[in-house]
């Protein structure tokens, strides 16, 4: 790693190359046991295809953290598609490769997403995360509020069912801490 971290928004022009560059982040995140929608790590081809579909979603905006040419982390904002929700969006897929954790990448990605959301006129963000996970404690530290937990929400790699915690953050309140 070069030590030069850059946060950039994925554009239509950069989406194809970025999907391939994000595949190792998804594979590593799943392999490390994070609950991001997969039970077992996908192949590089499946991960690239999955990213390409997400990056093509017109309601989704994605940012990546790069160190040179290598993508180290990502976060996505998905705007509500319902007519009564133009003020809100969901935060999904905050992931940082294990090799890059502890460098402030996750809070930098979240700060970039939140700044964009405020500039876009959004006032409410929601997310869900594995109950009891490191991610849950980070979100709490960053000012997210817990709504509650849903039991038996996701199948874990062990086959057991695990809960998810639903959280929200009103924008314009205290930012990341």
């Amino acid at each position: 790693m070069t030590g030069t971290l850059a946060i950039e928004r994925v554009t239509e022009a950069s989406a194809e190359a970025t999907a391939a560059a994000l595949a190792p982040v998804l594979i590593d995140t799943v392999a490390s046991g994070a609950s991001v929608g997969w039970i077992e790590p996908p192949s590089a081809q499946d991960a690239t295809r999955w990213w390409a579909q997400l990056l093509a979603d017109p309601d989704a905006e994605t940012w990546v953290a790069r160190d040179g040419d290598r993508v180290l982390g990502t976060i996505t904002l998905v705007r509500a598609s319902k007519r009564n929700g133009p003020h809100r969006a969901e935060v999904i897929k905050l992931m940082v490769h294990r090799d890059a954790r502890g460098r402030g990448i996750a809070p930098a990605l979240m700060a970039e997403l939140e700044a964009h959301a405020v500039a876009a006129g959004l006032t409410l963000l929601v997310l869900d995360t594995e109950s009891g996970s490191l991610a849950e404690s980070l979100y709490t530290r960053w000012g997210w509020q817990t709504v509650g937990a849903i039991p038996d929400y996701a199948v874990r790699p062990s086959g057991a069912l695990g809960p998810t915690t639903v959280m929200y953050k009103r924008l314009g309140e205290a930012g990341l801490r």
Side-chain angles (χ1 to χ4, degrees):
M1 288 187 231
T2 65
T4 306
L5 185 66
I7 306 292
E8 58 190 48
R9 190 168 160 201
V10 179
T11 64
E12 189 176 331
S14 68
E16 184 177 342
T18 303
L22 278 167
V25 176
L26 176 59
I27 293 165
D28 177 73
T29 300
V30 176
S32 71
S35 179
V36 292
W38 298 78
I39 295 174
E40 295 189 18
S43 68
Q45 182 180 18
D46 286 343
T48 300
R49 186 175 19 254
W50 185 86
W51 278 113
Q53 289 175 334
L54 179 61
L55 296 175
D57 181 343
D59 292 327
E61 298 171 271
T62 299
W63 289 262
V64 294
R66 290 185 183 272
D67 185 351
D69 289 334
R70 183 176 177 211
V71 172
L72 303 175
T74 186
I75 193 168
T76 298
L77 179 73
V78 180
R79 290 176 178 263
S81 60
K82 295 183 168 100
R83 290 185 180 223
N84 69 351
H87 64 290
R88 70 177 188 260
E90 181 178 9
V91 176
I92 65 168
K93 307 303 182 229
L94 173 57
M95 295 183 247
V96 176
H97 195 285
R98 281 182 285 191
D99 293 348
R101 291 184 186 157
R103 293 180 52 192
I105 293 171
L109 285 163
M110 183 63 81
E112 187 73 21
L113 178 144
E114 287 184 15
H116 173 80
V118 168
L122 299 174
T123 59
L124 181 67
L125 299 178
V126 297
L127 62 77
D128 74 88
T129 190
E130 183 178 7
S131 298
S133 66
L134 173 61
E136 181 181 7
S137 65
L138 289 174
Y139 295 134
T140 300
R141 186 178 336 149
W142 298 340
W144 287 77
Q145 302 297 310
T146 298
V147 174
I150 301 171
D152 300 337
Y153 188 78
V155 177
R156 294 181 170 160
S158 67
L161 296 175
T164 194
T165 298
V166 178
M167 305 180 89
Y168 72 93
K169 186 171 188 180
R170 288 186 175 139
L171 299 177
E173 295 180 354
L176 294 175
R177 294 180 191 127

